[in-house]
Amino acid sequence: MELAMNQEKKIHPQKYMMWMAITSILMMFVGLSSAFIVKRSQANWITLEIPQIFYYSTGVILVSSLTIAMAKRSFIRRLISRYAVWLGATAVLGVLFVVMQTIGFVELWNSGITVSRNASFSFLYVIVGLHALHVLGGVAGLLLMSFKSFSRKNIVYSPLGINLMSTYWHFVDILWIYLLVFMIIEG
Amino acid sequence: MTNEEALQQHSQVTQGAAIAVHADHHHKQSFITKYIFSTDHKMISRQFLVTGIIWAVIGGFFSVVFRMQLGFPDQTFPWLETIFGKWAEGGRISQDLYYTLVTMHGTILVFFVLTAGLSGTFSNFLIPLQIGARDMAAPFVNMLSYWFFFAASIVMFSSLFVSTGGSSVGWTFYPPLSALGEAAEGAKAGMDLWLISIFLFIVSQLLGGLNYVATIINMRTKGMFMTRLPLTIWSFMFTAILGILTFPVLLSAVVLLMFDRHLGTSFFLSDIVINGKILPNEGGSPVLFQHLFWFLGHPEVYIVALPAMGITSEVVSTNSRKPIFGYMAMVGSFFAITTLSMIVWAHHMFVSGMNPFLGSVFTLFTLLIAVPSAIKVFNWLTTMWRGNIIFTPAMLFSIGFVSLFISGGLTGIWLGNATIDIHIHDTYFNIAHFHLVMGVASMFGMFSGIYHWFPKMFGRFMNKTLGYIHFWITIICAYLIFWPMHYQGIAGMPRRYFDYSNWESFKMFEGLNTFISIAAIVAFIAQFLFIFNFFYSIYKGRKVTEENKNPWKSTTLEWSTPALPGHGNWPGEIPEVHRWPYDYSKGDRDFIPQTEPIGADEGEH
C-alpha cells in the first residue's frame, strides 16, 4: 500500500496538469477534425492545396524539438548559459515557424484563396491559425524562462519548469505533424 | 475512546500545533493579497460563491420579468420601463427584450451560476480540505481560473448595455440566427460580447478543471486512498474530467462561429435569403454546429448535476447518521454517467432530420443513463431508510434534490425516446423536464452545500429558521411552477413564444400561465430570505467555537481543521487517514472520524 502511494506521487501534480491540458487542447482539435470530416462529405468541397512552405516549416518545428531537448540536457547538467542559448534558439525557431505559416497564408490569400473561398480553406486557416497560437503561447513561456535563467537572485534548481515546457513543446510539434498528415489525407 | 474524548484530544493537538506554527511563521497579507488576488483555495471558493449569488439574482430576476409577460400579457408595468427604457415602452417588454431575457436567463444560470457558482465554489473549497492537502496543485492557475470567470462576467454583464441589446439567440446559440447580425438586433454586438464572454468562461473552466483533477489524483494525504475519498470528491473529479474533455469542443464551435460572423466563411451557413438579400454563403451545415454544441451541451448538464449529487450523498449520509449505501456503486454510477453522457448528445437533435437508425442508437444510450441515475436514487433512499434523520436545512435541501431529481428524471425517459420527443420537442414539457432535473435540483444541491459548509467557510452559522422557511417556499413553488408545464407541453404549447393569446388552442392555459408566473415571483422573493441570511450570517451569525467546530458530527477531514482554517488549512502536520469517510453509527459509536486508526475490535469497512 505504502509503496503504491509513493509511486503514485512520483508524477508531480503540475506535470499531471500539463498532460491533462494537452488532452484538453487535443479535444479542441478533435472537434475541428471531426467537423472537417463532416464538411468534407458535403457538396462544394474543394480539395485542399497545402502551401509548399508548410513542409519547410515542419522541418523547422522538428528541429526546435531537438533544441529544447538540448536545453533540457544542459539544464540537468547545470550548464545554465548553454541552457539559455538553447531555450532562445527554440523560441527563435518557434517564431520562425509562425512566420513561415503566415507567409504560407499570405501566398494563399494572394493567389485568391481567401478564408471565405471554400470551407476546405476556411478550415485550413482556422486549424493552422489555432495551432500557431498555441506555438506562440509556448514561445512566450520559453522567453520567460530564458530571461529567468539570467536572474542571479532566483536561481532555479528544480527541473520542473523545463520538463513542463519540453513536454508542451513536443506536443505542439507532434500536433502539427498530426494536423498536416490529417489535412493531406482528408483534404 | 468515545467520540467526545476523541474530539477533545484532537482539538487539543491542533490547538497546540496552531500556537507553535503561529510563532515561527507569521506572514503578513495585505487586503489585496488576502481578499482580492488571493491564491488560497478557500478565498477563491468564496469569490466564486459570491459572484455566483450575484449572477443568480440577475438571472432569476430576468425569469421573473419574462414570466410577467407570459402571465399577464395584456397588462402593463410602468416600472419595467424605468428599468429597461426603450426595451419596455409603456411598461410592456418588447419582443427583442423577451428573447434577450430568455437567452440570458439560460446562459447565466447554466454557465455562471450552476457551473462556476456550484462546481467552482465547492470543488475549490472541499477538494483540498477533504483530501488533506494544503492547497490546489497550482494555486496561481487556480486564481487565474477565478479571474477569467470574473472577466467573462464583466463582458457578459456589459453586453446587456449595448444599444442593440444583449444576445437574444438562445443559450444554445444555434446558427444561422447567431451567425447573422442582420437576422436580429440581439445577434449584433451583443452576440459578439456573448461569444467573447463564453470564450473567457471556457478558459476559466479548463484552468479550474485541470487543478481539480491533478489535486485529487496527486495530492491526497497519507492513507487517503481513492476508495476512501468522500463521494463529493469523486463527483468533483468526474465533473472536472467532463469539463476538460468537452469544453474545448465548444471552444472550437465558438471559433468557427466567430469566423462565420466576421470573416465570411460558411461553416454553418448555406443558401440563406435575409430581407430579400441572397447571402453568398454556400455549403455550410447548421446541423454540424448542433453536433459540436451538444457534445458539450449534454455533458454540461452533468457538469451541473454531478456536484449536486456528490454534495447530496455527503449530506444525506451525515444527517441520516448512517454509512452511505453502496459506496462503490455510487462511484461506479458516477463513472457510468460520465462516460455515457459523452455519447448521447444527439438526443437533443431528434428533430434535425437525422437518420432514424442513428436516432435509435442515441435513444438506447440515453435510456441507459437511467440505470446509474436510478442506482444513485436508490442508494440515497436506502441511506435514509431507517436512519436517525436530523432535519437540518442542508438535509432538507438534499432530500429536495432527490425528490426533484426523481420527478425530472422520469420525464427524461420520455424525452429520450425519439418517438415521443418528436412530438413534445420544444414544448413546455421539455422546459419542465430540464428545470426540475438539472436546474432547480442542482440549485437545491448548491443550497444544501451552502447550508452544510457555511460554518467551515465563514466560521459562523446561518439561521436555521430562515433556512426552513426558505426551503419550504422554494420546493413548493418549484413544483407549482414546473409541474403544470408538463400538461401545457403535452397539449403542444411551444416554448419561446412571446404571447400565447393569439392561439385559440392555448387560450385554455391563460389562467395557468398567470398562476405559474405568480409562483415564480413568490419563489424569487423567497430567495432573498436566503440572501439576507447568507450575508447577515457572515458578519453577525453565531460563531463556531473550537469545541463546536464539527457541528454536524461529520467524519470527513475538513472538520479536523481549526474552526476557521488559515492559509495551509492545518496548522502543523496534515492528519493521516485510516478509514473510509462513512463510519456512522458503527458499533456503539455515533461516528468515527477518518483520522482515527482502526481499532483492534473492529473491521475496516
Side-chain angles (χ1 to χ4, degrees), chain B residues 446-470:
Chain B
M446 189 166 165
F447 285 133
S448 174
I450 295 171
Y451 280 108
H452 193 76
W453 279 288
F454 190 90
K456 190 87 265 172
M457 274 186 175
F458 297 101
R460 289 175 188 269
F461 287 96
M462 286 177 84
N463 183 296
K464 251 189 177 177
T465 314
L466 276 180
Y468 292 136
I469 300 170
H470 172 220

PDB file of all heavy atoms in Angstrom, chain B residues 446-470:
ATOM      1  N   MET B 446     -26.832  23.000  -4.448  1.00  0.00           N
ATOM      2  CA  MET B 446     -25.975  24.132  -4.076  1.00  0.00           C
ATOM      3  C   MET B 446     -26.407  24.703  -2.726  1.00  0.00           C
ATOM      4  O   MET B 446     -25.574  24.952  -1.853  1.00  0.00           O
ATOM      5  CB  MET B 446     -26.082  25.193  -5.165  1.00  0.00           C
ATOM      6  CG  MET B 446     -25.107  26.328  -5.038  1.00  0.00           C
ATOM      7  SD  MET B 446     -25.088  27.242  -6.586  1.00  0.00           S
ATOM      8  CE  MET B 446     -24.261  28.716  -6.063  1.00  0.00           C
ATOM      9  N   PHE B 447     -27.721  24.884  -2.551  1.00  0.00           N
ATOM     10  CA  PHE B 447     -28.208  25.381  -1.256  1.00  0.00           C
ATOM     11  C   PHE B 447     -27.797  24.437  -0.137  1.00  0.00           C
ATOM     12  O   PHE B 447     -27.342  24.866   0.924  1.00  0.00           O
ATOM     13  CB  PHE B 447     -29.730  25.514  -1.266  1.00  0.00           C
ATOM     14  CG  PHE B 447     -30.236  26.706  -2.036  1.00  0.00           C
ATOM     15  CD1 PHE B 447     -31.273  26.587  -2.938  1.00  0.00           C
ATOM     16  CD2 PHE B 447     -29.677  27.962  -1.837  1.00  0.00           C
ATOM     17  CE1 PHE B 447     -31.741  27.681  -3.640  1.00  0.00           C
ATOM     18  CE2 PHE B 447     -30.141  29.064  -2.529  1.00  0.00           C
ATOM     19  CZ  PHE B 447     -31.170  28.921  -3.437  1.00  0.00           C
ATOM     20  N   SER B 448     -27.959  23.136  -0.414  1.00  0.00           N
ATOM     21  CA  SER B 448     -27.612  22.159   0.597  1.00  0.00           C
ATOM     22  C   SER B 448     -26.147  22.306   0.985  1.00  0.00           C
ATOM     23  O   SER B 448     -25.805  22.331   2.176  1.00  0.00           O
ATOM     24  CB  SER B 448     -27.880  20.759   0.033  1.00  0.00           C
ATOM     25  OG  SER B 448     -27.433  19.793   0.917  1.00  0.00           O
ATOM     26  N   GLY B 449     -25.292  22.428  -0.017  1.00  0.00           N
ATOM     27  CA  GLY B 449     -23.869  22.594   0.251  1.00  0.00           C
ATOM     28  C   GLY B 449     -23.575  23.861   1.037  1.00  0.00           C
ATOM     29  O   GLY B 449     -22.757  23.860   1.959  1.00  0.00           O
ATOM     30  N   ILE B 450     -24.266  24.941   0.685  1.00  0.00           N
ATOM     31  CA  ILE B 450     -24.003  26.204   1.390  1.00  0.00           C
ATOM     32  C   ILE B 450     -24.425  26.086   2.848  1.00  0.00           C
ATOM     33  O   ILE B 450     -23.673  26.428   3.753  1.00  0.00           O
ATOM     34  CB  ILE B 450     -24.728  27.376   0.705  1.00  0.00           C
ATOM     35  CG1 ILE B 450     -24.158  27.597  -0.700  1.00  0.00           C
ATOM     36  CG2 ILE B 450     -24.577  28.659   1.529  1.00  0.00           C
ATOM     37  CD1 ILE B 450     -24.946  28.578  -1.533  1.00  0.00           C
ATOM     38  N   TYR B 451     -25.635  25.569   3.087  1.00  0.00           N
ATOM     39  CA  TYR B 451     -26.085  25.453   4.482  1.00  0.00           C
ATOM     40  C   TYR B 451     -25.169  24.522   5.266  1.00  0.00           C
ATOM     41  O   TYR B 451     -24.917  24.723   6.445  1.00  0.00           O
ATOM     42  CB  TYR B 451     -27.524  24.938   4.546  1.00  0.00           C
ATOM     43  CG  TYR B 451     -28.579  26.000   4.281  1.00  0.00           C
ATOM     44  CD1 TYR B 451     -29.302  26.007   3.098  1.00  0.00           C
ATOM     45  CD2 TYR B 451     -28.834  26.994   5.221  1.00  0.00           C
ATOM     46  CE1 TYR B 451     -30.260  26.975   2.850  1.00  0.00           C
ATOM     47  CE2 TYR B 451     -29.790  27.970   4.984  1.00  0.00           C
ATOM     48  CZ  TYR B 451     -30.499  27.962   3.795  1.00  0.00           C
ATOM     49  OH  TYR B 451     -31.430  28.920   3.562  1.00  0.00           O
ATOM     50  N   HIS B 452     -24.670  23.466   4.601  1.00  0.00           N
ATOM     51  CA  HIS B 452     -23.871  22.477   5.301  1.00  0.00           C
ATOM     52  C   HIS B 452     -22.470  22.989   5.610  1.00  0.00           C
ATOM     53  O   HIS B 452     -21.960  22.798   6.711  1.00  0.00           O
ATOM     54  CB  HIS B 452     -23.786  21.200   4.459  1.00  0.00           C
ATOM     55  CG  HIS B 452     -23.245  20.011   5.201  1.00  0.00           C
ATOM     56  ND1 HIS B 452     -23.990  19.304   6.104  1.00  0.00           N
ATOM     57  CD2 HIS B 452     -22.035  19.411   5.175  1.00  0.00           C
ATOM     58  CE1 HIS B 452     -23.270  18.319   6.605  1.00  0.00           C
ATOM     59  NE2 HIS B 452     -22.074  18.363   6.059  1.00  0.00           N
ATOM     60  N   TRP B 453     -21.827  23.634   4.647  1.00  0.00           N
ATOM     61  CA  TRP B 453     -20.422  24.004   4.844  1.00  0.00           C
ATOM     62  C   TRP B 453     -20.223  25.466   5.210  1.00  0.00           C
ATOM     63  O   TRP B 453     -19.093  25.917   5.332  1.00  0.00           O
ATOM     64  CB  TRP B 453     -19.599  23.628   3.606  1.00  0.00           C
ATOM     65  CG  TRP B 453     -19.246  22.175   3.611  1.00  0.00           C
ATOM     66  CD1 TRP B 453     -18.339  21.572   4.428  1.00  0.00           C
ATOM     67  CD2 TRP B 453     -19.800  21.139   2.813  1.00  0.00           C
ATOM     68  NE1 TRP B 453     -18.292  20.219   4.183  1.00  0.00           N
ATOM     69  CE2 TRP B 453     -19.186  19.931   3.192  1.00  0.00           C
ATOM     70  CE3 TRP B 453     -20.764  21.107   1.800  1.00  0.00           C
ATOM     71  CZ2 TRP B 453     -19.499  18.707   2.601  1.00  0.00           C
ATOM     72  CZ3 TRP B 453     -21.064  19.903   1.216  1.00  0.00           C
ATOM     73  CH2 TRP B 453     -20.443  18.711   1.621  1.00  0.00           C
ATOM     74  N   PHE B 454     -21.339  26.204   5.366  1.00  0.00           N
ATOM     75  CA  PHE B 454     -21.210  27.612   5.749  1.00  0.00           C
ATOM     76  C   PHE B 454     -20.362  27.792   7.013  1.00  0.00           C
ATOM     77  O   PHE B 454     -19.480  28.656   7.048  1.00  0.00           O
ATOM     78  CB  PHE B 454     -22.599  28.234   5.947  1.00  0.00           C
ATOM     79  CG  PHE B 454     -22.584  29.721   6.113  1.00  0.00           C
ATOM     80  CD1 PHE B 454     -22.682  30.555   5.012  1.00  0.00           C
ATOM     81  CD2 PHE B 454     -22.466  30.292   7.371  1.00  0.00           C
ATOM     82  CE1 PHE B 454     -22.655  31.925   5.159  1.00  0.00           C
ATOM     83  CE2 PHE B 454     -22.435  31.668   7.517  1.00  0.00           C
ATOM     84  CZ  PHE B 454     -22.535  32.481   6.415  1.00  0.00           C
ATOM     85  N   PRO B 455     -20.582  26.969   8.064  1.00  0.00           N
ATOM     86  CA  PRO B 455     -19.761  27.133   9.271  1.00  0.00           C
ATOM     87  C   PRO B 455     -18.273  26.991   8.988  1.00  0.00           C
ATOM     88  O   PRO B 455     -17.457  27.686   9.582  1.00  0.00           O
ATOM     89  CB  PRO B 455     -20.249  26.005  10.190  1.00  0.00           C
ATOM     90  CG  PRO B 455     -21.598  25.657   9.697  1.00  0.00           C
ATOM     91  CD  PRO B 455     -21.581  25.908   8.229  1.00  0.00           C
ATOM     92  N   LYS B 456     -17.919  26.094   8.069  1.00  0.00           N
ATOM     93  CA  LYS B 456     -16.495  25.922   7.743  1.00  0.00           C
ATOM     94  C   LYS B 456     -15.991  27.079   6.891  1.00  0.00           C
ATOM     95  O   LYS B 456     -14.854  27.511   7.027  1.00  0.00           O
ATOM     96  CB  LYS B 456     -16.329  24.604   6.998  1.00  0.00           C
ATOM     97  CG  LYS B 456     -14.912  24.176   6.814  1.00  0.00           C
ATOM     98  CD  LYS B 456     -14.384  23.377   7.971  1.00  0.00           C
ATOM     99  CE  LYS B 456     -13.643  24.186   8.971  1.00  0.00           C
ATOM    100  NZ  LYS B 456     -13.271  23.513  10.180  1.00  0.00           N
ATOM    101  N   MET B 457     -16.882  27.594   6.026  1.00  0.00           N
ATOM    102  CA  MET B 457     -16.462  28.657   5.116  1.00  0.00           C
ATOM    103  C   MET B 457     -16.246  29.973   5.835  1.00  0.00           C
ATOM    104  O   MET B 457     -15.302  30.697   5.559  1.00  0.00           O
ATOM    105  CB  MET B 457     -17.530  28.879   4.043  1.00  0.00           C
ATOM    106  CG  MET B 457     -17.420  27.983   2.864  1.00  0.00           C
ATOM    107  SD  MET B 457     -18.636  28.492   1.655  1.00  0.00           S
ATOM    108  CE  MET B 457     -18.197  27.396   0.333  1.00  0.00           C
ATOM    109  N   PHE B 458     -17.180  30.314   6.729  1.00  0.00           N
ATOM    110  CA  PHE B 458     -17.154  31.658   7.305  1.00  0.00           C
ATOM    111  C   PHE B 458     -16.990  31.658   8.818  1.00  0.00           C
ATOM    112  O   PHE B 458     -16.981  32.712   9.440  1.00  0.00           O
ATOM    113  CB  PHE B 458     -18.431  32.421   6.923  1.00  0.00           C
ATOM    114  CG  PHE B 458     -18.559  32.632   5.447  1.00  0.00           C
ATOM    115  CD1 PHE B 458     -19.378  31.833   4.680  1.00  0.00           C
ATOM    116  CD2 PHE B 458     -17.824  33.631   4.817  1.00  0.00           C
ATOM    117  CE1 PHE B 458     -19.472  32.027   3.308  1.00  0.00           C
ATOM    118  CE2 PHE B 458     -17.919  33.826   3.449  1.00  0.00           C
ATOM    119  CZ  PHE B 458     -18.742  33.021   2.705  1.00  0.00           C
ATOM    120  N   GLY B 459     -16.913  30.467   9.408  1.00  0.00           N
ATOM    121  CA  GLY B 459     -16.724  30.413  10.856  1.00  0.00           C
ATOM    122  C   GLY B 459     -17.943  30.850  11.647  1.00  0.00           C
ATOM    123  O   GLY B 459     -17.840  31.163  12.834  1.00  0.00           O
ATOM    124  N   ARG B 460     -19.085  30.911  11.007  1.00  0.00           N
ATOM    125  CA  ARG B 460     -20.325  31.270  11.703  1.00  0.00           C
ATOM    126  C   ARG B 460     -21.463  30.391  11.185  1.00  0.00           C
ATOM    127  O   ARG B 460     -21.333  29.745  10.150  1.00  0.00           O
ATOM    128  CB  ARG B 460     -20.671  32.740  11.466  1.00  0.00           C
ATOM    129  CG  ARG B 460     -19.736  33.682  12.189  1.00  0.00           C
ATOM    130  CD  ARG B 460     -20.050  35.108  11.816  1.00  0.00           C
ATOM    131  NE  ARG B 460     -19.057  36.022  12.353  1.00  0.00           N
ATOM    132  CZ  ARG B 460     -19.150  36.623  13.532  1.00  0.00           C
ATOM    133  NH1 ARG B 460     -20.204  36.409  14.294  1.00  0.00           N
ATOM    134  NH2 ARG B 460     -18.215  37.450  13.940  1.00  0.00           N
ATOM    135  N   PHE B 461     -22.575  30.395  11.913  1.00  0.00           N
ATOM    136  CA  PHE B 461     -23.721  29.589  11.494  1.00  0.00           C
ATOM    137  C   PHE B 461     -24.744  30.453  10.778  1.00  0.00           C
ATOM    138  O   PHE B 461     -24.908  31.632  11.090  1.00  0.00           O
ATOM    139  CB  PHE B 461     -24.399  28.951  12.707  1.00  0.00           C
ATOM    140  CG  PHE B 461     -23.603  27.825  13.296  1.00  0.00           C
ATOM    141  CD1 PHE B 461     -22.760  28.052  14.368  1.00  0.00           C
ATOM    142  CD2 PHE B 461     -23.689  26.555  12.765  1.00  0.00           C
ATOM    143  CE1 PHE B 461     -22.028  27.019  14.920  1.00  0.00           C
ATOM    144  CE2 PHE B 461     -22.964  25.515  13.309  1.00  0.00           C
ATOM    145  CZ  PHE B 461     -22.126  25.746  14.380  1.00  0.00           C
ATOM    146  N   MET B 462     -25.473  29.836   9.843  1.00  0.00           N
ATOM    147  CA  MET B 462     -26.624  30.522   9.271  1.00  0.00           C
ATOM    148  C   MET B 462     -27.823  30.264  10.166  1.00  0.00           C
ATOM    149  O   MET B 462     -27.852  29.326  10.949  1.00  0.00           O
ATOM    150  CB  MET B 462     -26.900  30.001   7.866  1.00  0.00           C
ATOM    151  CG  MET B 462     -25.903  30.502   6.852  1.00  0.00           C
ATOM    152  SD  MET B 462     -26.175  29.816   5.231  1.00  0.00           S
ATOM    153  CE  MET B 462     -27.427  30.899   4.594  1.00  0.00           C
ATOM    154  N   ASN B 463     -28.833  31.118  10.007  1.00  0.00           N
ATOM    155  CA  ASN B 463     -30.033  30.974  10.819  1.00  0.00           C
ATOM    156  C   ASN B 463     -30.869  29.810  10.305  1.00  0.00           C
ATOM    157  O   ASN B 463     -31.208  29.735   9.134  1.00  0.00           O
ATOM    158  CB  ASN B 463     -30.844  32.271  10.760  1.00  0.00           C
ATOM    159  CG  ASN B 463     -32.056  32.210  11.637  1.00  0.00           C
ATOM    160  OD1 ASN B 463     -32.954  31.407  11.407  1.00  0.00           O
ATOM    161  ND2 ASN B 463     -32.100  33.033  12.653  1.00  0.00           N
ATOM    162  N   LYS B 464     -31.213  28.884  11.226  1.00  0.00           N
ATOM    163  CA  LYS B 464     -31.919  27.673  10.838  1.00  0.00           C
ATOM    164  C   LYS B 464     -33.356  27.955  10.423  1.00  0.00           C
ATOM    165  O   LYS B 464     -33.835  27.438   9.423  1.00  0.00           O
ATOM    166  CB  LYS B 464     -31.927  26.707  12.021  1.00  0.00           C
ATOM    167  CG  LYS B 464     -31.028  25.508  11.834  1.00  0.00           C
ATOM    168  CD  LYS B 464     -31.294  24.524  12.959  1.00  0.00           C
ATOM    169  CE  LYS B 464     -30.468  23.273  12.787  1.00  0.00           C
ATOM    170  NZ  LYS B 464     -30.675  22.344  13.903  1.00  0.00           N
ATOM    171  N   THR B 465     -34.042  28.775  11.228  1.00  0.00           N
ATOM    172  CA  THR B 465     -35.465  29.016  10.965  1.00  0.00           C
ATOM    173  C   THR B 465     -35.660  29.617   9.581  1.00  0.00           C
ATOM    174  O   THR B 465     -36.526  29.172   8.814  1.00  0.00           O
ATOM    175  CB  THR B 465     -36.036  29.960  12.031  1.00  0.00           C
ATOM    176  OG1 THR B 465     -35.579  29.513  13.300  1.00  0.00           O
ATOM    177  CG2 THR B 465     -37.534  29.977  11.992  1.00  0.00           C
ATOM    178  N   LEU B 466     -34.836  30.617   9.273  1.00  0.00           N
ATOM    179  CA  LEU B 466     -34.936  31.202   7.929  1.00  0.00           C
ATOM    180  C   LEU B 466     -34.660  30.133   6.869  1.00  0.00           C
ATOM    181  O   LEU B 466     -35.291  30.123   5.816  1.00  0.00           O
ATOM    182  CB  LEU B 466     -33.935  32.344   7.780  1.00  0.00           C
ATOM    183  CG  LEU B 466     -34.375  33.712   8.298  1.00  0.00           C
ATOM    184  CD1 LEU B 466     -33.262  34.725   8.066  1.00  0.00           C
ATOM    185  CD2 LEU B 466     -35.639  34.162   7.593  1.00  0.00           C
ATOM    186  N   GLY B 467     -33.735  29.236   7.182  1.00  0.00           N
ATOM    187  CA  GLY B 467     -33.413  28.149   6.253  1.00  0.00           C
ATOM    188  C   GLY B 467     -34.617  27.264   5.991  1.00  0.00           C
ATOM    189  O   GLY B 467     -34.903  26.910   4.848  1.00  0.00           O
ATOM    190  N   TYR B 468     -35.335  26.926   7.085  1.00  0.00           N
ATOM    191  CA  TYR B 468     -36.522  26.091   6.901  1.00  0.00           C
ATOM    192  C   TYR B 468     -37.567  26.798   6.056  1.00  0.00           C
ATOM    193  O   TYR B 468     -38.152  26.204   5.142  1.00  0.00           O
ATOM    194  CB  TYR B 468     -37.142  25.714   8.261  1.00  0.00           C
ATOM    195  CG  TYR B 468     -36.278  24.776   9.081  1.00  0.00           C
ATOM    196  CD1 TYR B 468     -36.090  24.985  10.438  1.00  0.00           C
ATOM    197  CD2 TYR B 468     -35.660  23.685   8.482  1.00  0.00           C
ATOM    198  CE1 TYR B 468     -35.295  24.126  11.190  1.00  0.00           C
ATOM    199  CE2 TYR B 468     -34.871  22.830   9.225  1.00  0.00           C
ATOM    200  CZ  TYR B 468     -34.690  23.052  10.571  1.00  0.00           C
ATOM    201  OH  TYR B 468     -33.907  22.207  11.306  1.00  0.00           O
ATOM    202  N   ILE B 469     -37.831  28.073   6.359  1.00  0.00           N
ATOM    203  CA  ILE B 469     -38.847  28.809   5.578  1.00  0.00           C
ATOM    204  C   ILE B 469     -38.420  28.857   4.114  1.00  0.00           C
ATOM    205  O   ILE B 469     -39.204  28.619   3.198  1.00  0.00           O
ATOM    206  CB  ILE B 469     -39.028  30.238   6.138  1.00  0.00           C
ATOM    207  CG1 ILE B 469     -39.470  30.166   7.599  1.00  0.00           C
ATOM    208  CG2 ILE B 469     -40.036  31.024   5.316  1.00  0.00           C
ATOM    209  CD1 ILE B 469     -39.454  31.507   8.302  1.00  0.00           C
ATOM    210  N   HIS B 470     -37.139  29.173   3.910  1.00  0.00           N
ATOM    211  CA  HIS B 470     -36.593  29.235   2.551  1.00  0.00           C
ATOM    212  C   HIS B 470     -36.822  27.918   1.819  1.00  0.00           C
ATOM    213  O   HIS B 470     -37.293  27.895   0.682  1.00  0.00           O
ATOM    214  CB  HIS B 470     -35.093  29.558   2.641  1.00  0.00           C
ATOM    215  CG  HIS B 470     -34.356  29.473   1.342  1.00  0.00           C
ATOM    216  ND1 HIS B 470     -33.102  28.941   1.235  1.00  0.00           N
ATOM    217  CD2 HIS B 470     -34.698  29.859   0.093  1.00  0.00           C
ATOM    218  CE1 HIS B 470     -32.706  28.995  -0.020  1.00  0.00           C
ATOM    219  NE2 HIS B 470     -33.650  29.540  -0.728  1.00  0.00           N
TER     220      HIS B 470
END
